[in-house]
């Protein structure tokens, strides 16, 4: 799956979720149903972060094999930082969720911008 999303187009988050679910419906990983739910949540968080915090939109890619790998590439400088989450706030939890639920994850600098990625399935990388 490869999908380009425009800056601030938050409707695209739901569209990316649908495309990811369609891709994952063909994935035969152990615990696939639960992994699909986690993958959908983490992808939503990363795409939303990119659309809110990075000008120029983002490119989302997802590949399945023994593991699922999702990458969200944007053109904003700097590394994302987990902000403080408050009980009343609606932000500050995305990277915390990725850290807690992904088998592996990271941030890779790209010439302009960065790629935030995670992997699920098959245990820790």
């Amino acid at each position: 799956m490869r999908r380009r999303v425009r800056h601030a187009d938050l409707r695209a988050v739901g569209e990316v979720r649908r495309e990811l679910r369609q891709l994952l419906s063909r994935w035969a990983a152990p615990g696939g149903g639960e992994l699909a739910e986690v993958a959908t949540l983490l992808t939503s968080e990363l795409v939303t972060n990119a659309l809110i915090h990075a000008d120029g939109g983002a490119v989302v890619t997802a590949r399945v094999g023994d593991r699922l790998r999702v990458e969200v590439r944007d053109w904003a400088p700097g590394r994302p930082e987990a902000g403080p989450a408050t009980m009343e706030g609606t932000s500050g939890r995305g990277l915390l969720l990725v850290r807690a639920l992904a088998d592996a994850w990271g941030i890779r600098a790209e010439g302009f911008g960065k790629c935030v990625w995670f992997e699920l399935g098959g245990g820790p990388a």
Side-chain angles (χ1 to χ4, degrees):
M1 176 188 113
R2 181 175 173 86
R3 164 94 185 208
R4 176 148 178 111
V5 291
R6 293 185 321 265
H7 172 68
D9 181 9
L10 295 180
R11 289 176 305 149
V13 177
E15 294 166 2
V16 168
R17 277 194 303 262
R18 280 188 294 281
E19 289 179 35
L20 182 64
R21 283 187 189 115
Q22 183 177 22
L23 173 69
L24 294 178
S25 71
R26 300 183 300 269
W27 188 32
E34 182 179 320
L35 286 178
E37 290 302 315
V38 172
T40 302
L41 170 67
L42 300 184
T43 301
S44 294
E45 293 293 335
L46 294 184
V47 171
T48 300
N49 284 350
L51 294 180
I52 290 173
H53 300 293
D55 291 337
V59 174
V60 183
T61 58
R63 294 184 305 274
V64 292
D66 292 340
R67 301 170 65 84
L68 164 70
R69 183 176 179 99
V70 175
E71 298 183 351
V72 179
R73 163 81 159 92
D74 67 48
W75 289 266
R79 295 174 59 89
E81 298 292 330
T86 64
M87 293 300 286
E88 301 81 26
T90 59
S91 64
R93 294 172 183 81
L95 287 180
L96 296 174
L97 286 170
V98 172
R99 251 185 236 149
L101 298 175
D103 293 324
W105 78 282
I107 303 165
R108 182 178 68 241
E110 300 280 337
F112 291 100
K114 66 195 158 299
C115 175
V116 182
W117 61 270
F118 71 85
E119 292 183 349
L120 290 172

